[in-house]
């Protein structure tokens, strides 16, 4: 098979043999090939490409992991703060606590789509670094809250700040190929599961050792985790790289010019160099039924994930554990997810399939909620929480990946993910209102189960539809080949015709 560099150099039509993920064999012009992932993606890489990937993996992935760690550390702090005396000291009833929990998502929803769209306008290190510093500062401020109103305002501001860091998946899509994203995404997103464990351990340590100090335990929790975020934001601001096609002089402190040129070439597997905000892509995303299928699927996953992050310690406490031990035992489900998530992502990249793993994760989460709805023994219920967290975290990472690698056009991709996240956060607001009736929380668990079943249906429909579209494109190309004609899309980029491009194939 001809390599991307061979095709780039020739400037002529060449015979390209496609894999299942690309299409049928055909003579096509140069620019019809650039955004494809050829079959030799798994072939031995050059020394230059190995060096580039190593640098990316040692810089971008750890920084992305740090971003997710502090983001979810701060997000989980509200649930842990409740068990450390937040509601008692500020005299918050169940409705007020739920209101404060949901205000986070209001701030998040308002800024989610703009945050994704401006990614190609403002440098990512500025967006991510400033956002982390902001929500870390707001969390520190919440440690000094004296009343319900202050908690409401600061929760909304924390949500607004966190909306700007969710573009990390879109950012990495300009550095990695389609078959490289899921594993990296799982590695850095798995720190979100790790943050749940860390948050539980930090809360346990504070509750055990810092009860007789000048501050209440919940205040120490918010102050410590907020300061961790501020320090992390400064680090991200200093180290996170610009996009490859926007680096001054084509290099920076870590990457050489040759490596950046290769990074830009690799990015063409499903990106267009110099892409910017295009309003027509927003319209295309709105008209695309896949946008709404992703949105409804993400709504169910996001709503369940958000309620788990807030209420998991309460679920475990109601299994019969003390508040302090519930903090400690909340580590177990997150530890399970930390192992399961990267394992599934690794296999999904190897076999180049995402849909089966997403649907499988949804089914496992559904089983977990069914167990919680029964009168099963405590051990079974702890296992159920492991099913839920492992299934949900696997689904959220692979859904982001599935959406990203199957949406052509950077603005369309960003808008589609923004819509999916808005749906998730809007439904998360509703989710925070559903867990009012302990100890079994039958209402909340039943509604979570129903939405996960609906998400499973949407995932199955997406899987079927994209497989149908791939076969349809193959048939069309065969018809053009039989007439010895080249399809009009051969001269167009993904920025012009998006994932409808005749040579683009969806990853199933």
């Amino acid at each position: 098979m001809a390599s991307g560099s061979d095709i780039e150099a020739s400037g002529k039509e060449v015979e390209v043999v496609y894999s299942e993920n690309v299409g049928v064999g055909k003579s096509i012009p140069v620019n019809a090939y650039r955004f494809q992932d050829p079959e030799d993606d798994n072939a031995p890489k050059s020394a230059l490409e190995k060096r580039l990937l190593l640098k990316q993996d040692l810089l971008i992935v750890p920084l992305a992991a740090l971003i997710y760690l502090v983001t979810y550390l701060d997000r989980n702090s509200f649930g842990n703060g409740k068990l450390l005396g937040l509601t008692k000291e500020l005299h918050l009833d169940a409705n007020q606590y739920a209101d404060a929990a949901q205000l986070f998502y209001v701030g998040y929803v308002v800024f989610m789509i703009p945050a994704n769209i401006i990614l190609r306008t403002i440098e990512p290190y500025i967006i991510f670094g400033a956002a982390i510093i902001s929500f870390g500062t707001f969390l520190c401020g919440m440690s000094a809250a004296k009343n319900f109103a202050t908690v409401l305002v600061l929760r909304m501001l924390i949500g607004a700040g966190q909306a700007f860091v969710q573009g990390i998946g879109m950012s990495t899509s300009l550095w990695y190929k389609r078959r490289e994203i899921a594993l990296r995404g799982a590695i850095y997103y798995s720190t979100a599961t790790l943050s749940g464990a860390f948050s539980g351990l930090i809360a346990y340590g504070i509750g055990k050792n810092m009860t007789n100090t000048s501050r209440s335990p919940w205040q120490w929790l918010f102050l410590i985790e907020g300061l961790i975020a501020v320090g992390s934001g400064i680090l991200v601001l200093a180290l996170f790289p610009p996009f490859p096609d926007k680096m001054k002089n084509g290099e920076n402190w870590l990457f050489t010019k040759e490596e950046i040129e290769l990074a830009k070439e690799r990015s063409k597997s499903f990106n267009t160099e110099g892409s910017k905000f295009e309003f027509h892509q927003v319209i295309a995303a709105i008209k695309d039924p896949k946008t709404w299928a992703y949105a409804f699927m993400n709504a169910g996953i996001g709503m369940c994930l958000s309620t788990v992050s807030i209420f998991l310690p309460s679920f475990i406490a109601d299994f019969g554990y003390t508040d302090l031990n519930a903090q400690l035992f909340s580590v177990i489900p997150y530890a399970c997810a930390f192992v399961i998530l990267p394992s599934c992502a690794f296999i999904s990249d190897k076999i180049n399939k995402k849909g089966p793993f997403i649907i499988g994760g949804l089914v496992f989460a559904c089983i977990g909620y069914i167990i919680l709805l029964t009168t099963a023994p405590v051990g079974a219920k702890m296992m159920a929480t492991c099913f839920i967290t492992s299934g949900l975290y696997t689904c959220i990472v692979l859904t982001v990946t599935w959406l990203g690698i199957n949406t052509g056009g950077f603005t369309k991709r960003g808008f589609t993910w923004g819509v999916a996240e808005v749906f998730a956060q809007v439904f998360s607001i509703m989710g925070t209102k559903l867990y009012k009736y302990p100890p079994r929380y039958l209402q909340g668990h039943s509604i979570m189960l129903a939405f996960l079943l609906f998400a499973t249906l949407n995932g199955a429909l997406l899987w079927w539809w994209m497989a149908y579209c791939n076969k349809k494109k193959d048939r069309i190309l065969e018809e053009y080949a039989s007439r010895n004609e080249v399809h009009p899309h051969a001269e167009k980029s993904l920025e012009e015709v998006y994932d409808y491009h005749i040579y683009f194939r969806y990853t199933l």
Side-chain angles (χ1 to χ4, degrees):
M1 176 189 287
S3 69
S5 57
D6 294 336
I7 295 171
E8 179 76 25
S10 68
K12 301 176 182 178
E13 291 190 358
V14 295
E15 185 71 19
V16 178
V17 180
Y18 289 104
S19 67
E20 176 194 0
N21 197 42
V22 181
V24 298
K26 183 164 177 56
S27 296
I28 59 173
V30 171
N31 58 356
Y33 179 86
R34 289 180 179 173
F35 52 79
Q36 298 298 349
D37 272 340
E39 197 173 53
D40 64 359
D41 264 357
N42 289 325
K45 292 178 170 59
S46 67
L48 178 62
E49 188 169 12
K50 286 181 180 178
R51 188 167 70 246
L52 171 64
L53 270 174
L54 179 62
K55 288 183 178 182
Q56 290 178 189
D57 289 343
L58 292 178
L59 179 66
I60 297 172
V61 174
L63 286 175
L66 179 64
I67 290 170
Y68 272 100
L69 177 67
V70 297
T71 297
Y72 280 83
L73 193 67
D74 287 12
R75 188 178 297 194
N76 293 333
S77 65
F78 199 60
N80 295 113
K82 177 185 178 184
L83 297 187
L84 289 177
L86 168 68
T87 54
K88 291 179 182 178
E89 190 165 324
L90 297 187
H91 308 291
L92 307 181
D93 60 30
N95 285 327
Q96 288 176 318
Y97 177 78
D99 288 340
Q102 76 179 38
L103 256 291
F104 169 92
Y105 300 104
V106 172
Y108 197 104
V109 165
V110 170
F111 289 96
M112 183 66 217
I113 291 178
N116 268 353
I117 289 177
I118 65 170
L119 261 178
R120 293 291 277 169
T121 304
I122 302 174
E123 296 291 2
Y125 61 87
I126 296 176
I127 294 176
F128 301 147
I132 297 168
I133 292 170
S134 297
F135 69 69
T137 302
F138 296 140
L139 187 62
C140 289
M142 203 156 76
S143 70
K146 301 297 183 185
N147 52 55
F148 176 51
T150 304
V151 173
L152 282 180
V153 172
L154 289 172
R155 282 287 292 172
M156 185 169 63
L157 290 174
I158 290 170
Q162 293 205 0
F164 285 87
V165 304
Q166 298 304 318
I168 190 69
M170 307 302 300
S171 175
T172 56
S173 72
L174 287 171
W175 284 95
Y176 290 100
K177 289 187 176 183
R178 295 171 79 189
R179 295 185 69 166
E180 298 169 346
I181 290 178
L183 178 58
R184 271 79 179 184
I187 290 171
Y188 61 70
Y189 200 94
S190 64
T191 59
T193 69
L194 201 60
S195 73
F198 279 164
S199 189
L201 289 173
I202 292 171
Y204 178 79
I206 291 172
K208 194 171 181 64
N209 301 300
M210 302 179 72
T211 54
N212 298 311
T213 65
S214 58
R215 297 176 185 271
S216 299
W218 64 269
Q219 292 177 312
W220 279 117
L221 179 71
F222 292 159
L223 184 61
I224 290 170
E225 294 188 355
L227 289 174
I228 291 172
V230 171
S232 301
I234 294 171
L235 195 63
V236 169
L237 198 60
L239 298 179
F240 201 91
F243 291 124
D245 59 349
K246 291 197 171 185
M247 285 191 180
K248 294 179 180 179
N249 303 317
E251 62 182 344
N252 81 337
W253 65 272
L254 181 63
F255 299 99
T256 65
K257 286 185 178 181
E258 292 78 11
E259 289 164 350
I260 293 303
E261 286 302 314
L262 178 58
K264 290 191 290 187
E265 189 61 35
R266 281 165 42 84
S267 177
K268 292 175 184 176
S269 64
F270 69 119
N271 292 291
T272 301
E273 185 176 343
S275 58
K276 58 184 184 299
F277 174 74
E278 301 280 359
F279 184 73
H280 64 87
Q281 293 191 25
V282 173
I283 302 301
I286 293 172
K287 293 180 178 179
D288 189 346
K290 297 194 302 299
T291 298
W292 308 106
Y294 282 123
F296 283 117
M297 185 166 63
N298 204 52
I301 299 169
M303 181 171 67
C304 294
L305 199 59
S306 66
T307 54
V308 165
S309 70
I310 294 173
F311 294 104
L312 181 61
S314 298
F315 297 164
I316 295 174
D318 287 322
F319 293 165
Y321 297 104
T322 65
D323 285 353
L324 189 59
N325 284 336
Q327 305 278 16
L328 187 60
F329 277 91
S330 69
V331 173
I332 296 173
Y334 288 114
C336 289
F338 182 72
V339 174
I340 296 296
L341 170 55
S343 301
C344 289
F346 175 78
I347 298 170
S348 76
D349 269 353
K350 280 296 181 183
I351 67 174
N352 203 28
K353 302 289 183 185
K354 302 293 180 286
F357 293 90
I358 295 171
I359 293 172
L362 287 167
V363 169
F364 261 83
C366 287
I367 292 171
Y369 279 108
I370 290 171
I371 294 173
L372 290 183
L373 286 168
T374 68
T375 55
V378 171
K381 289 186 175 183
M382 281 301 303
M383 181 182 70
T385 63
C386 294
F387 279 9
I388 292 169
T389 53
S390 298
L392 291 176
Y393 276 103
T394 298
C395 287
I396 196 67
V397 171
L398 292 185
T399 299
V400 174
T401 304
W402 208 29
L403 182 157
I405 64 179
N406 284 327
T407 308
F410 193 85
T411 302
K412 184 172 185 277
R413 189 184 311 151
F415 184 83
T416 302
W417 176 238
V419 169
E421 273 293 275
V422 166
F423 267 59
Q425 305 315 319
V426 168
F427 280 88
S428 294
I429 294 172
M430 182 180 73
T432 61
K433 287 286 192 180
L434 299 176
Y435 282 94
K436 295 181 180 179
Y437 307 110
R440 293 180 62 193
Y441 296 105
L442 294 180
Q443 174 185 279
H445 292 333
S446 299
I447 294 175
M448 297 303 119
L449 176 60
F451 272 93
L452 284 184
L453 290 172
F454 187 55
T456 305
L457 174 63
N458 277 277
L461 288 173
L462 273 170
W463 191 10
W464 169 80
W465 178 250
M466 289 190 286
Y468 169 79
C469 290
N470 284 350
K471 293 176 181 177
K472 182 179 179 181
K473 290 178 181 181
D474 285 344
R475 289 196 301 271
I476 293 172
L477 281 177
E478 287 170 356
E479 292 171 5
Y480 271 80
S482 67
R483 299 193 300 266
N484 199 28
E485 296 177 0
V486 175
H487 194 279
H489 284 184
E491 298 296 336
K492 297 182 181 294
S493 72
L494 291 181
E495 292 296 306
E496 297 172 279
V497 289
Y498 333 120
D499 45 281
Y500 309 134
H501 201 294
I502 197 67
Y503 296 112
F504 183 89
R505 293 296 177 272
Y506 297 108
T507 298
L508 301 180

